[in-house]
Structures are given as structure tokens and as C-alpha cells.
């Protein structure tokens, strides 16, 4: 069965491209049925349109509150009825009401090895701490920001001469391999989030899977 994905993105959409490419080459048994953005100028929307995928703006500026925005977004998602909602650089904090409705069916990618560095400026904070290993995580979305159970992580070594930009570029490259791989595990049923815990079949998973990728220059 091919899973139907709705991707929510605010910005440049490089993770969206990685997901679309993985679907096209058969590495991810899924179809992106819609791309939604809160920003009309989001490159993710033009990427979707160029590939003939339904692309819609729900402009964040047009709503008076998070609650009214998320009610409208929830209504759209109900109509689209995806199997999984995939956040790929969606720069809004979602209300608990929307998150609860999609609990176990909504995932996010975050540029750190969670639980380290939730929130913003993760690369800068990792460098300031002198971290030697950084990375990215794919997690199910729960009401608490960046705190949902992690499905899979990728490690990226921090180099002595790294600055924020260089580290961010290598982590982003790693994300492009991580997100399709983690989504494949979810849509194939290898990993599921039920009753507050992660399962592989009937076995509760204690720790997320971590992968290391070949370093890029
Ligand atoms: C990525 O760094 C992701 O981890 C974060 O937002 C960024 C999205 O980048 N949640 P892109 O729009 O996919 O290029």
C-alpha cells in the first residue's frame, strides 16, 4: 500500500525534495498528495507545483490567532485525509488541539540530536557547547515542542574548524537521507507511536535508531 503524505513547509523545501525523490525512486513507498505552506513565497510551494502536486497556501498573516489558524489547517487536513502529516521546516508552533488530533500520524524533523537542543539555533548552541557530535532527529509530534518520541536520528561529527554555516550545511545534507529513511519505517509499519510509546510490532522501543552517514566534503 502506498501511504498518502501531506507535507507542511514554510521555507526552501529541500527536505520536501528529498522526500519526493525517495518516493520517485521507490525508496519510500508513499505519495505526497499535498504541500501546504503558511508563507505564499515558500519555495516548497513552487517545487510542488512544478511536480504537479497540489500546493496550497494557508497564509499565517491572514489569521488572528494560532487557534483560528490551526482550526483552518485542521479542516484542510481533514479534507485531504493523509495517512501521515509530515512537517518539513514548518515554522509554526501547533496548538495542542491540532496535535492531539494527529497524534501518532504527524512527524517532524529537527536539526539536533534530541533531547539535546530543542527550539531554534541548534547549530550555534552545539558549537558554543563544544559538542563533538551533532545531527538531526525525526520524531512524532506531541503537544510539547520538539519533545515527541524520536524514531530515528543521524549523527554528524563536528569538525574543529566548523562554523555555524558549515555545520548547518552538513546536518541538512544528513537530514535529506534521514527523513525518507525514517518515513519509510513509519509508513511500512515498522515503527508506530501508540499510547505514549514507540513500538516495533508489539515490542516497545527503548531508544531511537541512530545512523551514521558518510561524511560529505
Ligand atoms: C531543516 O533544517 C529542518 O530540520 C528544520 O527546518 C529546516 C527545513 O529546511 N525543521 P528545508 O525547508 O527542508 O530546506
Amino acid at each position: 500500500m502506498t501511504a498518502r503524505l501531506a507535507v507542511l513547509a514554510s521555507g526552501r523545501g529541500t527536505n520536501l525534495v528529498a522526500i519526493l525523490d525517495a518516493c520517485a525512486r521507490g525508496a519510500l513507498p508513499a505519495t505526497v498528495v499535498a504541500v501546504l505552506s503558511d508563507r505564499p513565497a515558500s519555495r516548497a510551494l513552487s517545487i510542488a507545483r512544478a511536480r504537479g502536486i497540489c500546493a496550497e497556501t494557508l497564509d499565517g498573516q491572514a489569521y488572528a490567532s494560532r487557534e483560528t489558524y490551526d482550526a483552518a489547517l485542521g479542516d484542510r487536513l481533514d479534507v485531504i485525509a493523509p495517512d501521515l502529516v509530515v512537517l518539513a521546516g514548518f515554522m509554526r508552533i501547533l496548538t495542542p488541539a491540532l496535535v492531539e488530533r494527529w497524534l501518532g500520524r504527524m512527524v517532524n524533523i529537527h536539526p539536533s540530536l534530541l533531547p539535546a537542543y530543542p527550539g531554534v539555533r541548534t547549530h550555534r548552541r552545539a558549537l558554543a557547547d563544544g559538542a563533538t557530535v551533532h545531527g538531526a532527529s525525526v520524531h512524532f509530534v506531541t503537544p510539547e515542542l520538539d519533545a515527541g518520541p524520536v524514531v530515528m536520528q543521524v549523527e554528524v561529527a563536528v569538525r574543529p574548524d566548523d562554523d555555524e554555516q558549515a555545520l548547518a550545511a552538513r546536518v541538512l545534507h544528513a537530514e535529506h537521507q534521514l527523513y525518507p529513511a525514517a518515513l519509510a519505517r513509519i509508513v511500512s509499519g515498522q515503527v508506530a507511536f501508540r499510547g505514549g510509546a514507540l513500538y516495533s510490532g508489539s515490542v516497545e522501543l527503548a531508544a531511537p535508531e541512530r545512523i551514521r552517514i558518510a561524511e560529505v566534503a
Side-chain angles (χ1 to χ4, degrees):
M1 199 196 80
T2 302
R4 302 171 74 255
L5 311 181
V7 177
L8 272 50
S10 300
R12 61 196 164 181
T14 65
N15 277 287
L16 169 66
V17 171
I19 291 165
L20 291 170
D21 289 349
C23 292
R25 67 173 187 272
L28 172 57
T31 305
V32 176
V33 294
V35 174
L36 304 180
S37 182
D38 58 327
R39 296 185 186 163
S42 167
R43 197 173 150 258
L45 291 171
S46 36
I47 291 165
R49 286 190 195 106
R51 299 200 188 202
I53 297 164
C54 163
E56 292 181 16
T57 304
L58 260 181
D59 194 342
Q61 310 285 343
Y63 293 82
S65 68
R66 283 209 294 145
E67 285 70 22
T68 53
Y69 185 88
D70 280 10
L73 178 57
D75 287 347
R76 278 308 295 148
L77 289 174
D78 283 347
V79 172
I80 296 163
D83 297 305
L84 198 63
V85 176
V86 177
L87 307 183
F90 193 58
M91 301 304 288
R92 296 183 64 90
I93 296 175
L94 300 175
T95 53
L98 184 65
V99 171
E100 294 288 356
R101 170 124 179 70
W102 288 90
L103 204 61
R105 298 181 299 147
M106 180 185 274
V107 290
N108 182 43
I109 188 161
H110 181 78
S112 78
L113 293 172
L114 290 170
Y117 311 118
V120 296
R121 298 194 183 88
T122 59
H123 312 305
R124 189 183 303 181
R125 287 151 65 204
L127 286 171
D129 284 352
T132 54
V133 182
H134 187 44
S137 307
V138 172
H139 65 94
F140 282 101
V141 177
T142 57
E144 194 185 339
L145 184 69
D146 300 329
V150 174
V151 175
M152 204 171 175
Q153 300 182 307
V154 63
E155 294 182 357
V156 174
V158 179
R159 296 176 183 167
D161 59 345
D162 263 338
D163 59 16
E164 192 178 347
Q165 206 183 357
L167 182 58
R170 291 207 314 290
V171 171
L172 186 65
H173 178 81
E175 288 182 31
H176 298 158
Q177 297 167 64
L178 174 70
Y179 216 174
L183 292 172
R185 274 168 180 67
I186 296 166
V187 302
S188 65
Q190 287 174 52
V191 180
F193 178 46
R194 295 190 299 267
L198 271 190
Y199 287 90
S200 174
S202 57
V203 179
E204 189 172 336
L205 296 175
E209 185 179 349
R210 275 206 184 181
I211 56 173
R212 290 194 181 82
I213 56 157
E215 284 285 330
V216 287

